[in-house]
Amino acid sequence: MAQSRLEKIGTIFTRVQGLLRGGAMKTEDKPIWYDVYAAFPPKAEPRFDRPAPEMPVRSIFYAEDVVRAKLHKQNRPNETISLFDNKRSTQSQQFLQIYDNLKSQGALDEQRIYETALDLLAEQRQQSRLDATPEEPAVAATELDVATKSQLLSDFIEAGGQQAKSSGSQYKERKKESPVGINIDSLFKD
């Protein structure tokens, strides 16, 4: 029915075809790709012994890749990047914009453009830190982070106090017996 179970004999299509012909597989159980493969078979059958085509792999490099690699090699960016935030550009994107603007002016050589772009980026980042207001997300996020941490801390302290009060002397006895301060009895109360 299924002919051979060796993957070297036949293709997956011929094996499924044999299963369908022999009745080992029902037509409603056939794979989704079967009808597409039957309607549009590949030019060369995908067999294990078919030699791989000799195609050179092309290197895909952009002009900015060299500059970006140099930036990341010499100056490690110390920022947190959120992939969900599409509005804010990263430090390397800002650097590349400055670098391209200086390069388009054409007055300096490559090394001077790189150094000038680094200086301008540092000034720009310093200016953005000075211009930050409480309404901006960076400052609001740090305030929110501090508020969240303090709320979390107070919740843990409160929960620990309630557990100590509710279990009373049993909690103290269990705490002395085991090095871990968890009262197992309180976990299974209704």
Side-chain angles (χ1 to χ4, degrees), residues 61-68 96 99 103:
F61 283 110
Y62 296 99
E64 66 185 33
D65 290 342
V66 177
V67 178
R68 186 173 291 172
L96 285 172
Y99 185 88
K103 191 171 184 178

Side-chain angles (χ1 to χ4, degrees), residues 28 32 34 44 64 66 68-69 87 119 152 156 166 168 172:
E28 60 265 6
I32 296 172
Y34 182 81
E64 66 185 33
V66 177
R68 186 173 291 172
K87 297 176 184 172
D119 294 338
L152 214 71
F156 276 121
S166 66
K172 291 177 183 175

Side-chain angles (χ1 to χ4, degrees), residues 19 25 29 31 38 41 44 49 64 67 83 89 108 156 158 174:
L19 289 170
M25 182 184 287
D29 293 336
D49 57 350
E64 66 185 33
V67 178
L83 297 177
S89 59
L108 303 172
F156 276 121
E158 182 180 322
R174 299 237 185 230

